[in-house]
Amino acid sequence: MSARIIDGKAIAAGLRGAVAAETRRLTAAHDLVPGLAVVLIGDNSASQSYVRAKSRAVAEVGMRPFDYHLPAETTEADLLALVQKLNADPAVHGILVQLPLPPQIEAARVICSVDPQKDVDGFHPLNAGRLASGLPALAPCTPLGCIRLAKTVHASLAGLDALVIGRSNIVGKPLAQLLLAENATVTVAHSRTRDLAAHCRRGDLLFAAIGRPEFVRGDWIKPGATVIDVGINRIGDNGKSRIVGDVNFAEAVKTAGAITPVPGGVGPMTIACLLVNTLRAACMQAQLPAPEV
Ligand code: NAP
């Protein structure tokens, strides 16, 4: 048996369409054009291509992009001053500072400087705390995308055994909180976990956010499980390079019930969820009800 492939690209396109429709409605009814500021520092080529994709997506759904590309030698003080300016600008509803930052800038300080209401990355400790407390919060985009993908397979995640491999602030921890909010039974595994394969075999839902190419093997997966692969790893292959996930797809597809491909799974959902967060942030700041997307 071969698993159903969860087409993140198509699901993300549908979500972007819904965001565009809601943006048109907001603009017509309330003269509100959501604005997203994206700040890139330096010349990291992966970051440059993410930022280009984000800016293109923002413009395509009818939002207003504000793009800032600063040199690699930008000081922390200069970056903090830019964030303060964006915090105070009423046309900017969301602020995203692309990570990683150059070594002279402390990421935690920058994350904390973003107005929590404009924190569309959901990395500010206030939003992380609100999420963990079950209060409305701007949550990180990649975990939000993972939940949406899992829900294309399961109408409800309630009562399902979910294993999250990885405990980063960006993916693993917020994903665990979102799964708890969906009433799943959640286990979070990490590099110190003993017998990871045994934990995997119990998971109705398996989320891999490790950063190790093809690490999760097919025989670790519970037959019929839903596998959401967050990993993005570039590997050499016969003199060329290609992107693979954290799950050995060729093996897993034989055991899983449904699985995301890499690329074309979680990646496109991250940007679509950034647009949803920007819409939510704009509504929050305009004291309008949360958008229905
Ligand atoms: P990270 O901060 O490096 O965290 C990796 C996590 O994996 C850590 O919690 C680590 O455990 C755990 N880990 C490492 N080796 C392990 C092992 N042998 N067994 C079990 N757990 C292990 O990475 P991240 O930022 O969360 O990203 C994870 C992956 O997702 C990367 O490939 C990244 O490129 C990708 N990603 C994709 C998107 C997207 O849009 N698709 C977005 C963000 C990230 P410890 O905590 O014990 O060290």
Side-chain angles (χ1 to χ4, degrees), residues 53-240:
K54 284 169 186 168
S55 302
R56 207 171 34 238
V58 168
E60 271 170 18
V61 296
M63 295 181 178
R64 194 176 288 148
F66 297 84
D67 292 337
Y68 295 84
H69 189 176
L70 309 181
E73 56 279 7
T74 299
T75 63
E76 187 175 285
D78 283 346
L79 177 57
L80 292 175
L82 173 60
V83 172
Q84 288 317 325
K85 192 180 103 178
L86 297 171
N87 281 343
D89 184 343
V92 172
H93 302 95
I95 302 170
L96 182 154
V97 181
Q98 183 66 45
L99 302 178
L101 294 169
Q104 73 277 14
I105 301 178
E106 198 184 311
R109 204 168 291 150
V110 176
I111 288 168
C112 289
S113 74
V114 174
D115 178 342
Q117 292 218 24
K118 298 190 177 189
D119 171 37
V120 284
D121 253 342
F123 294 164
H124 194 290
L126 193 99
N127 277 314
R130 290 182 67 90
L131 179 64
S133 307
L135 296 168
L138 286 166
C141 304
T142 299
L144 284 173
C146 292
I147 297 287
R148 282 182 185 261
L149 290 175
K151 285 182 140 186
T152 64
V153 181
H154 307 268
S156 165
L157 308 184
L160 296 179
D161 277 323
L163 176 69
V164 178
I165 315 177
R167 57 174 165 179
S168 70
N169 289 340
I170 292 172
V171 188
K173 280 185 203 152
L175 179 54
Q177 295 299 344
L178 289 169
L179 285 163
L180 278 177
E182 295 286 341
N183 297 311
T185 302
V186 185
T187 303
V188 182
H190 45 77
S191 66
R192 305 288 188 92
T193 296
R194 275 182 279 168
D195 201 354
L196 183 59
H199 286 285
C200 288
R201 285 188 194 106
R202 281 197 293 277
D204 303 308
L205 303 171
L206 173 57
F207 298 87
I210 313 164
R212 290 178 175 239
E214 301 179 323
F215 185 75
V216 175
R217 309 303 304 257
D219 64 356
W220 298 7
I221 293 166
K222 177 175 175 176
T226 297
V227 177
I228 309 288
D229 189 350
V230 183
I232 301 177
N233 308 289
R234 187 170 287 281
I235 58 163
D237 189 6
N238 281 333
K240 291 188 193 148

Side-chain angles (χ1 to χ4, degrees), residues 24-43:
R24 277 195 299 276
R25 192 191 65 76
L26 272 182
T27 305
H30 303 284
D31 201 19
L32 175 62
V33 183
L36 175 66
V38 176
V39 183
L40 171 66
I41 296 134
D43 299 311

